[in-house]
Amino acid sequence: MLFQHRKEKILNLLSESNTVRIHDLVTRIGASESTIRRDLMTLEEEGLLTRVHGGATKVKNIGIEQKMSQKESINHEIKAKIAKYCSTLVKPNSQIYIDAGTATLELVRVLPNDKRIQVVTNGVDQALLALQRGINVTLLGGPVKQNTHAIAGITAYQQLERMNFSFAFIGMNGLSYENGLTTTNLDEAMIKECAMQQSHKIRILMDNSKIDQIYEFKVNAPTQAIILLNKQAKVNSPDTIHKLANHFDLHFL
């Protein structure tokens, strides 16, 4: 099994619980203990976990955002499933907003390219993929974040204020009962809020790895926003989900 495949399995197992043991990883992945130990060392160097005696624990770095290449490996199948569902919501001849992020990138990958859809995005990767798939796209202007290839700033914000969308598909870094929706950058938080304000319907694409994660900047979502999560979130964080359901409209896939 290639490292990338082992990496995805390790991170998915870690997203299901706060701690994983080397013995369990050896059994679940089918690799030797020495291979798993080397993998854990590499993933710790990438900032994706913290090694402890006999295993590893989940990292909770407040305000530190991983690179796109790092985030793409986490819960990829879940993101693809949520993206596929979102693609069925888009109507022909509509203008939609697609936020930067790995889950929304999966949406561009499966978005119908025969419905004359106009995509507006602040994600460089999203715009390039849409072009490759023959989808009409407008890329907002402004500085690009090196880690996530997201565009944010006053120019993008002013552009968004003049647009209207039938749907906004938004990515998010964290969701907790105490702090609600959070992200790592103030400019991006403002872009997300503006795009949602300009949209008739809103879907926030998340997965269970985002539950109980807290970042520096809050994102206020309109009341019509629906947060999409995978069913595993209810299993891993039942108390948190119960509390969140009193404040957010949650939909599980």
Side-chain angles (χ1 to χ4, degrees):
M1 182 184 295
L2 296 174
F3 169 69
Q4 281 299 124
H5 293 153
R6 297 196 305 273
K7 175 181 177 179
E8 181 173 353
K9 286 182 176 292
I10 291 170
L11 294 177
N12 282 342
L13 289 170
L14 195 58
S15 73
E16 296 173 3
S17 58
N18 289 324
T19 303
V20 292
R21 297 186 302 169
I22 290 177
H23 174 74
D24 293 334
L25 292 174
V26 169
T27 302
R28 297 284 292 274
I29 296 175
S32 67
E33 182 174 329
S34 60
T35 296
I36 294 298
R37 288 186 183 276
R38 286 197 300 271
D39 289 348
L40 295 182
M41 289 178 63
T42 301
L43 295 177
E44 184 176 49
E45 290 174 357
E46 293 181 9
L48 296 175
L49 53 78
T50 300
R51 286 185 299 151
V52 296
H53 180 70
T57 62
K58 187 185 298 185
V59 168
K60 290 188 176 181
N61 287 328
I62 303 301
I64 298 177
E65 186 163 32
Q66 300 161 355
K67 296 180 180 179
M68 282 285 287
S69 58
Q70 295 172 326
K71 294 196 291 183
E72 282 180 332
S73 300
I74 303 174
N75 284 348
H76 179 265
E77 290 184 6
I78 293 170
K79 293 172 183 176
K81 180 180 180 181
I82 293 174
K84 184 65 176 178
Y85 167 77
C86 289
S87 71
T88 67
L89 304 177
V90 180
K91 304 301 181 184
N93 303 303
S94 59
Q95 177 164 268
I96 64 173
Y97 179 79
I98 297 183
D99 195 20
T102 54
T104 53
L105 185 61
E106 290 301 316
L107 172 57
V108 179
R109 209 179 302 280
V110 296
L111 199 65
N113 58 0
D114 59 350
K115 292 186 176 182
R116 298 179 299 280
I117 298 165
Q118 176 67 44
V119 170
V120 177
T121 183
N122 72 323
V124 174
D125 296 328
Q126 280 76 359
L128 289 173
L129 182 57
L131 285 174
Q132 291 169 8
R133 298 197 60 236
I135 298 172
N136 294 326
V137 60
T138 296
L139 179 63
L140 299 178
V144 182
K145 290 181 64 182
Q146 185 141 18
N147 274 2
T148 60
H149 308 162
I151 292 173
I154 188 62
T155 301
Y157 188 90
Q158 290 175 338
Q159 287 177 301
L160 276 177
E161 284 187 310
R162 294 177 177 271
M163 299 179 180
N164 291 309
F165 307 103
S166 58
F167 255 108
F169 298 98
I170 305 294
M172 202 66 62
N173 296 82
L175 174 63
S176 70
Y177 174 70
E178 294 82 5
N179 293 271
L181 296 162
T182 55
T183 191
T184 61
N185 180 276
L186 179 58
D187 288 333
E188 279 203 81
M190 295 176 66
I191 290 293
K192 293 176 192 291
E193 290 180 355
C194 184
M196 288 190 283
Q197 291 291 344
Q198 303 300 110
S199 301
H200 179 58
K201 296 180 180 179
I202 303 159
R203 297 296 184 271
I204 300 173
L205 287 63
M206 307 190 76
D207 61 73
N208 56 289
S209 69
K210 308 294 181 69
I211 300 297
D212 288 327
Q213 299 299 305
I214 302 169
Y215 293 84
E216 285 184 314
F217 301 100
K218 287 190 174 185
V219 179
N220 297 315
T223 56
Q224 74 266 31
I226 296 176
I227 298 175
L228 302 178
L229 288 161
N230 56 309
K231 293 179 181 178
Q232 192 64 34
K234 293 193 288 186
V235 177
N236 293 346
S237 310
D239 294 337
T240 301
I241 292 298
H242 178 73
K243 293 177 181 178
L244 287 170
N246 294 324
H247 297 277
F248 298 98
D249 191 350
L250 307 179
H251 182 75
F252 297 92
L253 300 173

